[in-house]
């Protein structure tokens, strides 16, 4: 189901002290013993100490067990940035169950797939968030994914189970959990037809968490603001909420990343560190001078998920008054950080260097041969916290990994002599929409399901704010071809997350082809740019 690390690697990672045998359940209990009365979690409605969080996790764990969730069973968790995310997830860990992390924008297409592919037995949601009623989605998901026995709802449960009814007095002992086993499933941005699930173990993930907390300088006095969706790998572990817990620090969950919400929180809670994607960093940079809040507690702004332009990077210290850390990571594993002792230019132009001395990075050409030092090539990676295969995806794994276990990141990079990575582009068919990843083929398949669509190609087009937006090129068929708005409505109707709905739809009589007869995305992008230039002139 999950591809294990080969024994010789696992042994080495243990011998080097990377994999310590700690599990998420014991991790929290240990921190709670050490930092019992320190505040661990803050949101709009809660302020929990480590002791309270630990107790809640145990109550949730026993409640989930009483409701028949057995060790190893999968539970899809889709919650906004609220304290209950943490108690639910640690409750599941402690019960030996396996959370599957969905993001709030995911809809029927994604969630029903996660539930079916992981054979999830339960689904955890909030009643409503950002104007969307997740209970209606849950009804549709249950009808499509029969393994889902129960839906747990934060807030008004409707016909489902209230999360409030879950807690139950714990027996004092929880199931033994294998630290080398599956801890949770994280989501991949993907580049193929269906999203991929990423199996992470306690051992590998906690190693990256401990090192990240150290690299990001977290200590008991740190206050980490969660500005991105908490279930994403970046705010989860780079160094994120888990790094904060490792250090005995406090996390503050922001319901949205806008300055209106976040700046008052930074002032009120004395936030010292946060992580955002480039478009959010730009909004903060632009609005900071116009606002009255005191942001002086903020020491470090981490930016990652998509390329942060050098010009923007150089604005951070003068305009926000804090340091910058670039973060180039992936839910599959490898995370790179610029370091506190890097000079200003390195922090401005590079996306950092790997966490571990045992992260192996190869930069290769199209035939997997190493390119000359310093030149651009495809990044392959292997190491103590990078997966060896996606969950239940044997066929895809054969392409996504080399025979000796390197993950093909799909990123085009060059390495500086210092070992820092500069991201120069991407070879995978993915659109990076301000950090939100859209797999071209997934959207194309949904478009192709429309009877008026003969062919479809989804490509990235440059955008000053998001970095990239999506454009769908469509060849129609029949007497009554669909319009752009009709196609967008069609995709929404199929339950595709809003960020995957193409920003623009362009109709073309046919596609340009490459030498081997494949649709040429490069020519499509060029056609789009030419069309845009013509529109501006006209
Ligand atoms: C993070 O994780 P994912 O899984 O959403 O996306 C990974 C992909 C990378 O392969 C790369 O294409 C892109 O996102 N990316 C960047 C980048 N950080 C991620 N591209 C250019 N510059 C960067 N700084 O996005 C993620 C996971 C953990 C920490 C931070 C980001």
């Amino acid at each position: 189901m999950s591809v294990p690390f080969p024994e010789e690697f696992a042994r080495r990672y243990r011998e080097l002290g990377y994999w310590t045998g700690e599990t998420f359940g014991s991790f929290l209990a240990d921190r709670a013993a050490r930092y019992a009365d320190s505040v661990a979690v803050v949101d709009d409605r809660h302020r929990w100490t480590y002791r309270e969080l630990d107790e809640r996790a145990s109550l949730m764990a026993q409640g989930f067990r009483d409701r028949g969730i057995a060790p190893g069973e999968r539970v899809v968790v889709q919650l906004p940035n609220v304290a209950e995310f943490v108690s639910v997830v640690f409750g599941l860990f402690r019960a030996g169950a396996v959370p599957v992390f969905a993001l709030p924008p995911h809809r029927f297409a994604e969630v029903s797939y996660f539930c079916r592919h992981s054979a999830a037995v339960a689904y955890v949601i909030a009643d409503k968030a950002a104007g969307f009623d997740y209970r209606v989605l849950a009804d549709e998901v249950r009808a499509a994914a029969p393994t889902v026995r129960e839906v747990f709802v934060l807030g008004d449960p409707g016909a489902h189970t209230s999360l409030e009814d879950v807690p139950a007095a714990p027996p004092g002992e929880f199931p033994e959990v294998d630290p080398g086993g599956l801890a949770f499933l994280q989501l991949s941005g993907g580049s193929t037809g269906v999203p991929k699930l990423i199996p992470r173990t306690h051992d590998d993930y906690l190693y990256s968490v401990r090192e990240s907390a150290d690299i990001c300088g977290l200590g008991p006095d740190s206050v980490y603001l969660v500005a991105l969706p908490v279930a994403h790998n970046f705010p989860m572990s780079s160094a994120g909420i888990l790094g904060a817990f490792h250090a005995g620090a406090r996390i503050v969950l922001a319901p949205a990343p806008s300055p209106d919400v976040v700046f008052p929180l930074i002032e009120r809670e004395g936030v010292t560190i946060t992580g955002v994607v480039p478009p959010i960093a730009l909004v903060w940079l632009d609005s900071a001078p116009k606002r009255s809040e005191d942001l002086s507690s903020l020491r470090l702004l981490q930016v990652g998920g998509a390329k942060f332009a050098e010009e923007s990077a150089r604005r951070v210290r003068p305009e926000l008054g804090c340091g910058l850390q670039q973060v180039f990571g992936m839910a599959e594993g490898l995370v790179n950080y610029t370091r506190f002792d890097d000079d200003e230019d390195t922090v401005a132009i590079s996306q950092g260097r790997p966490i571990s001395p045992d992260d192996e990075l190869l930069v290769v050409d199209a035939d997997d041969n190493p390119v000359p030092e310093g030149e651009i090539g495809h990044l392959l990676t292997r190491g103590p916290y990078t997966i060896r295969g996606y969950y239940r995806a044997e066929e895809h794994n054969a392409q996504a990994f080399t025979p000796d276990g390197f993950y093909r990141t799909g990123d085009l990079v060059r390495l500086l002599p210092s070992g820092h990575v500069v991201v120069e582009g991407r070879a995978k068919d993915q659109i990076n929409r301000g950090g939100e990843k859209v797999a071209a083929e997934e959207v194309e398949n949904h478009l192709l399901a429309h009877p008026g669509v003969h062919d479809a190609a989804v490509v990235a087009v440059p955008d000053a704010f998001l970095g990239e937006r999506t454009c769908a090129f469509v060849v129609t068929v029949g007497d009554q071809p669909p319009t752009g708005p009709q196609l967008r409505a069609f995709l929404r109707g199929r339950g595709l997350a809003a960020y995957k709905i193409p920003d623009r739809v362009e109709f073309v009589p046919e596609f340009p082809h490459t030498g081997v007869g494949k649709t040429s995305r490069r020519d499509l992008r060029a056609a789009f740019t030419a069309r845009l230039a013509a529109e501006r002139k006209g």
Side-chain angles (χ1 to χ4, degrees), residues 496-521:
L496 202 59
Y499 68 88
K500 296 183 188 169
I501 310 285
D503 294 294
R504 191 164 169 146
V505 180
E506 293 281 323
F507 295 98
V508 288
E510 61 179 357
F511 287 151
H513 288 288
T514 62
V516 288
K518 275 174 52 175
T519 300
S520 168
R521 291 188 155 75

Side-chain angles (χ1 to χ4, degrees), residues 363 370-377 413-419:
V363 184
V371 300
E373 246 178 72
E375 290 194 9
I376 299 175
V413 306
R414 69 190 161 89
L415 296 183
L416 303 178
S418 59

Side-chain angles (χ1 to χ4, degrees), residues 232-234 238 304-307 327-332 351 409 411 423 428 432 437:
H232 187 271
N233 200 60
F234 183 10
S238 304
K307 176 95 175 214
V327 187
F328 164 42
M330 51 207 72
E332 285 81 357
Q351 280 63 58
T409 66
D411 293 311
V423 181
K428 54 191 166 189
N432 190 336
K437 314 301 181 326

